[in-house]
């Protein structure tokens, strides 16, 4: 009988324990559902890994970034170049055409050119005969008002040739303070006047002519080249004499 009671008590205890275990399991199954972590294969301690490097930015996506992201990811040297647009501006200024000279500036410039041209004219007549005659084609226009007469350049050349044969040695010296020029407003025509001193010698005839004169030239610019279109000179002082000291030479 005692053994039977012991068996019965043991079975009762087992039944009670079994019922408690089942109720506990049922109570666990009755809990609400909790979402698992995003990466259910990783251990629960993995979320703490990013906190070890909080200052590193996330890895950029390989596709083209948005404009804002593009500006933030540019290297510092690319963003610090505000002075580069100055180069095109400089080239633009250099490429701009220069302003043409004003009418007054052009007139003053032509006045200086005309005065230098008149000095060169006298210098050419101080050279050898062949040089002086060759300069006629360069100095004069096709038609010239020469001492009140209109002549062609060929006629003027013949007249100049007779003059150099009469006075084969010549020297003309312009007085620098006497040179002046007046030009039209557009600078196409200038009138030059000057006073000069001269010495002309004919060794064969043993004659010397010395004196001073006033010269007036009207110079016209064909493009940028000046040519004489009118010439007139007046003797202010003249002295002619014979001398026996002259050598029998000539530069003809």
């Amino acid at each position: 009988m005692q053994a039977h009671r012991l068996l019965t008590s043991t079975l009762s205890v087992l039944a009670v324990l079994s019922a408690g275990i089942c109720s506990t399991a049922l109570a666990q199954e009755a809990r609400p559902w909790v979402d698992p972590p995003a990466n259910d294969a990783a251990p629960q301690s993995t979320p703490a890994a990013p906190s070890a490097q909080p200052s590193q930015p996330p890895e950029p996506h390989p596709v083209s970034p948005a404009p804002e992201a593009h500006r933030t990811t540019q290297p510092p040297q690319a963003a610090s170049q505000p002075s580069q647009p100055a180069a095109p501006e400089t080239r633009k200024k250099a490429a701009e055409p220069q302003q043409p000279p004003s009418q007054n500036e052009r007139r003053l410039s032509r006045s200086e050119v005309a005065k230098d041209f008149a000095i060169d004219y006298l210098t050419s007549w101080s050279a050898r005969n062949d040089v002086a005659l060759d300069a006629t084609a360069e100095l004069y226009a096709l038609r010239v008002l020469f001492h009140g007469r209109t002549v062609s350049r060929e006629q003027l050349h013949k007249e100049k040739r007779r003059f150099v044969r009469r006075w084969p040695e010549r020297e003309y010296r312009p007085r620098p303070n006497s040179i002046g020029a007046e030009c039209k407003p557009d600078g196409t025509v200038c009138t030059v006047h000057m006073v000069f001193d001269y010495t002309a010698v004919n060794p064969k005839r043993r004659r010397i002519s010395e004196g001073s004169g006033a010269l007036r030239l009207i110079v016209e610019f064909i493009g940028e080249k000046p040519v004489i279109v009118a010439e007139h000179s007046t003797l202010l002082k003249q002295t002619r004499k014979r001398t026996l000291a002259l050598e029998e030479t000539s530069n003809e």
Side-chain angles (χ1 to χ4, degrees), residues 162-239:
R162 287 194 296 269
F163 176 78
V164 299
R165 285 178 177 174
R166 184 178 180 184
W167 300 104
E169 296 179 7
R170 303 162 307 278
E171 182 182 5
Y172 293 88
R173 302 175 298 276
R175 297 180 183 178
N177 296 332
S178 69
I179 305 173
E182 298 177 358
C183 299
K184 288 185 176 181
D186 58 0
T188 56
V189 178
C190 299
T191 301
V192 186
H193 51 82
M194 70 171 67
V195 176
F196 63 91
D197 299 303
Y198 76 93
T199 301
V201 180
N202 188 326
K204 288 183 177 181
R205 298 174 59 191
R206 298 181 182 180
R207 292 182 178 271
I208 298 177
S209 178
E210 296 179 327
S212 59
L215 174 67
R216 183 169 65 92
L217 298 176
I218 298 179
V219 179
E220 182 177 357
F221 286 85
I222 301 176
E224 295 298 324
K225 179 182 178 181
V227 292
I228 300 171
V229 295
E231 176 182 352
H232 184 80
S233 60
T234 303
L235 284 175
L236 301 178
K237 180 182 178 182
Q238 183 182 39
T239 302

Side-chain angles (χ1 to χ4, degrees), residues 138-169:
E138 295 293 330
L139 295 174
Y140 290 90
L142 293 177
R143 297 192 68 79
V144 184
L145 183 64
F146 186 69
H147 290 270
R149 302 182 292 116
T150 300
V151 297
S152 66
R153 190 163 59 190
E154 289 76 12
Q155 291 173 326
L156 181 62
H157 186 274
K158 293 178 181 179
E159 191 160 338
K160 296 282 186 180
R161 186 169 54 194
R162 287 194 296 269
F163 176 78
V164 299
R165 285 178 177 174
R166 184 178 180 184
W167 300 104
E169 296 179 7

